[in-house]
Amino acid sequence: MIMKQQLKKLGLNPETFCFAPYVTTDLDQLGHIRTCYRGKDNISNWKEERLAEALNCDKAKEIRNALYTGQQHENCRSCWHAESHSSVSPRMDFFKDVQSRLDAKTQKKLISSIKQDPLTAKIENLMRVEIRPSLLCNLRCMHCGPDSSTKWIEKLSVKENFDIYDDIVGIDNNVPFDKFNEYVKGGLTSESKYKEDIKELLGVVKLIQFAGGEPLLAPEHMEWLDYLVNVSKTSHNQNLDYNSNLNINNIEKYFEYWDKFNKLVIRVSIDTSFLTYNYFRAEGDITLLVDNIKKFKNHFKNNSKKRIIVGTVTFNMFSALRWKDIMFDWIKNDLDFHASLVLKNPTSSINLPDDLKLKALAEMEWTINHVHEYTNDEYFIKDFRQHATNCYNFLKNSERDIHKLTKNVCTYFNMCDKINKKNILDYFPELSEYWYDGL
């Protein structure tokens, strides 16, 4: 692996070292501060505490020390899982970010700073912040849950649904039903006790990544954009990234602010083919989404290289079964392509029965070999093949010897169908012969 070779040359542990705890911070919906968007441990609380102190608390130092000295810290298990399946991990992405975003002199200074004090992150070294303001969301996607959507919270406030979800997926921190509403309470607002700290942090970094919930629904969002454009006046040197469902009315209200930033990338969560979108992303509206994509592209058509809209696929069972349709949908709507993996969830591709898995792999391989016949966009072809190959390798290397959908998977799908008033077999009829007997 190229990353490991280069880390070794830099004098950093190739097996575990990660730049993320030194150059980024992740502020999640419940107020937790994490090392990155995949970090599992809560190191502090951005809604309750001062940021400067929180970034170097004891837990943060423990994680940095482990990664620096060659220990696979449990906080980073998503990366260890992905890398063990020959897939791209966030650790690899952060390494690539440092290489691509920092010149040689700045990289050398950063690495020297880390070696001098591997336990401490310095504010001046922060390159990016990801902020997920709250759980507020207008969709209830099947691979999501109460840790990212108020629409899920609404339905899991019913004990029958809660018990099924908790048994199959699991509620964070093993929170029981009678404590559930109290647990998610901190995520229902995006307000911080130290709101000026948040603004100042946003004004320092070069890359700001907004996610959710749905970040465009946060009441403070327009205030933050206005601060960066009219108060700190840093927007012209900053890049904005969004993970958004873009199922937003009056999307045009953001355009005048977005015009003022150096670069804007919106990763639109789509996840499945357009024909199955309204099933997988419950309460979503594919017509509104397509309309907003057109509005965005029309408004920024003269600056399309710095105003980019990317269609993202969280690679799951349903996207695996409609991979060819996904390729054609993205090409038709002139979307850039990105994919990430759904790991531990009933919708994960690893839960596909073997026969369907082989069909999905064959279809994915076909798209990798034939995508160039349907578009002349070399950038799209390159990205599509890269992400499709990553997803293909993940699915191929997930050997589980499954001949039917498991009881847990079918129980989860039945719960989703009941909640959403839909029928999975209307969208994926091929699953009928693999359904768990008795459900």
Side-chain angles (χ1 to χ4, degrees):
M1 186 188 297
I2 294 176
M3 177 192 70
K4 290 185 177 182
Q5 294 172 352
Q6 294 180 342
L7 283 174
K8 190 173 182 179
K9 287 182 181 179
L10 293 170
L12 300 168
N13 192 293
E15 300 301 323
T16 61
F17 179 81
C18 181
F19 279 109
Y22 302 95
V23 300
T24 185
T25 188
D26 181 272
L27 314 180
D28 85 359
Q29 302 94 326
L30 295 178
H32 300 155
I33 300 179
R34 303 185 188 275
T35 51
C36 76
Y37 68 95
R38 285 287 193 182
K40 301 301 180 183
D41 291 349
N42 168 28
I43 64 174
S44 196
N45 192 307
W46 65 272
K47 295 183 181 181
E48 300 287 340
E49 300 168 23
R50 302 303 301 258
L51 277 174
E53 299 168 4
L55 292 177
N56 286 303
C57 65
D58 289 345
K59 188 64 177 182
K61 290 181 177 180
E62 173 196 311
I63 294 169
R64 292 188 194 105
N65 181 63
L67 300 182
Y68 188 78
T69 57
Q71 304 169 60
Q72 286 195 352
H73 199 286
E74 182 66 11
N75 173 71
C76 310
R77 59 185 179 272
S78 289
C79 282
W80 315 138
H81 183 78
E83 290 178 22
S84 70
H85 285 76
S86 304
S87 294
V88 176
S89 68
R91 182 170 83 107
M92 298 162 69
D93 289 336
F94 284 114
F95 177 80
K96 191 184 298 183
D97 269 358
V98 168
Q99 284 196 316
S100 62
R101 296 180 188 276
L102 301 181
D103 58 41
K105 183 178 179 181
T106 308
Q107 285 186 46
K108 185 176 180 179
K109 182 180 178 183
L110 171 63
I111 293 167
S112 175
S113 174
I114 292 171
K115 288 181 176 179
Q116 288 174 14
D117 185 1
L119 302 188
T120 304
K122 298 176 174 60
I123 296 294
E124 62 268 23
N125 288 337
L126 289 179
M127 295 168 49
R128 61 172 288 284
V129 59
E130 177 165 340
I131 180 166
R132 288 168 276 160
S134 74
L135 302 170
L136 183 61
C137 189
N138 50 345
L139 304 189
R140 185 174 49 256
C141 306
M142 289 182 68
H143 65 319
C144 194
D147 55 349
S148 293
S149 171
T150 45
K151 288 294 182 180
W152 265 109
I153 292 172
E154 290 173 7
K155 297 304 180 181
L156 296 189
S157 295
V158 176
K159 192 172 189 305
E160 179 186 1
N161 298 333
F162 179 94
D163 289 344
I164 293 172
Y165 188 96
D166 189 33
D167 182 53
I168 296 173
V169 182
I171 302 293
D172 282 354
N173 298 314
N174 297 314
V175 174
F177 179 72
D178 60 352
K179 303 290 184 183
F180 177 62
N181 286 332
E182 181 64 27
Y183 175 72
V184 299
K185 184 178 179 181
L188 301 181
T189 175
S190 45
E191 186 175 348
S192 167
K193 286 184 179 179
Y194 303 100
K195 58 177 64 178
E196 294 306 312
D197 280 19
I198 304 303
K199 291 179 182 178
E200 289 172 15
L201 174 65
L202 295 177
V204 167
V205 296
K206 297 297 184 184
L207 172 63
I208 305 169
Q209 295 178 296
F210 291 110
E214 171 49 53
L216 294 177
L217 295 179
E220 293 85 359
H221 194 72
M222 294 291 276
E223 181 183 344
W224 290 338
L225 293 180
D226 187 72
Y227 174 84
L228 296 170
V229 171
N230 297 315
V231 181
S232 69
K233 300 185 185 299
T234 50
S235 60
H236 64 287
N237 286 323
Q238 293 181 298
N239 297 345
L240 291 185
D241 277 15
Y242 286 87
N243 288 330
S244 169
N245 61 47
L246 221 61
N247 262 238
I248 302 294
N249 291 315
N250 191 25
I251 193 70
E252 301 93 331
K253 66 185 177 185
Y254 298 102
F255 291 172
E256 64 175 303
Y257 286 107
W258 289 347
D259 277 328
K260 302 296 192 302
F261 286 85
N262 176 57
K263 186 176 180 180
L264 169 66
V265 177
I266 298 185
R267 292 181 177 85
V268 185
S269 302
I270 303 175
D271 301 323
T272 59
S273 69
F274 282 25
L275 282 176
T276 59
Y277 175 92
N278 288 356
Y279 175 76
F280 187 79
R281 300 186 67 82
E283 303 203 26
D285 181 352
I286 190 63
T287 302
L288 175 61
L289 171 61
V290 170
D291 188 45
N292 281 341
I293 290 171
K294 290 177 180 176
K295 288 178 179 178
F296 181 94
K297 285 185 166 292
N298 183 60
H299 181 84
F300 296 112
K301 61 186 176 184
N302 295 325
N303 195 15
S304 59
K305 290 186 177 181
K306 285 199 168 187
R307 299 293 182 269
I308 301 166
I309 192 162
V310 182
T312 69
V313 174
T314 48
F315 183 61
N316 60 75
M317 180 188 301
F318 304 114
S319 52
L321 292 173
R322 296 292 183 271
W323 197 258
K324 190 184 291 186
D325 290 345
I326 286 172
M327 182 190 79
F328 288 127
D329 287 337
W330 263 242
I331 291 173
K332 179 180 178 180
N333 289 276
D334 192 24
L335 290 167
D336 289 352
F337 192 85
H338 181 270
S340 59
L341 303 171
V342 174
L343 301 174
K344 296 181 179 180
N345 185 277
T347 65
S348 174
S349 61
I350 65 175
N351 293 318
L352 277 172
D354 291 346
D355 289 349
L356 291 179
K357 173 182 169 181
L358 290 174
K359 288 182 180 180
L361 287 170
E363 185 168 294
M364 294 176 75
E365 185 173 8
W366 185 91
T367 63
I368 292 168
N369 292 332
H370 292 273
V371 60
H372 65 281
E373 298 173 12
Y374 297 93
T375 177
N376 295 320
D377 186 337
E378 293 297 326
Y379 182 83
F380 177 87
I381 293 169
K382 174 178 172 292
D383 272 8
F384 179 84
R385 281 179 169 159
Q386 175 187 329
H387 289 291
T389 300
N390 181 40
C391 295
Y392 176 92
N393 287 337
F394 176 79
L395 182 57
K396 185 177 181 181
N397 292 324
S398 301
E399 298 181 3
R400 296 187 65 190
D401 191 27
I402 301 176
H403 302 291
K404 288 261 190 179
L405 294 169
T406 68
K407 182 179 180 180
N408 274 355
V409 167
C410 291
T411 299
Y412 181 80
F413 291 167
N414 282 342
M415 179 194 72
C416 291
D417 282 359
K418 182 180 178 181
I419 287 172
N420 301 325
K421 297 181 173 57
K422 299 195 183 211
N423 186 338
I424 190 172
L425 299 182
D426 291 340
Y427 298 85
F428 299 93
E430 65 268 41
L431 293 179
S432 62
E433 64 180 286
Y434 300 96
W435 208 254
Y436 184 85
D437 294 336
L439 288 179

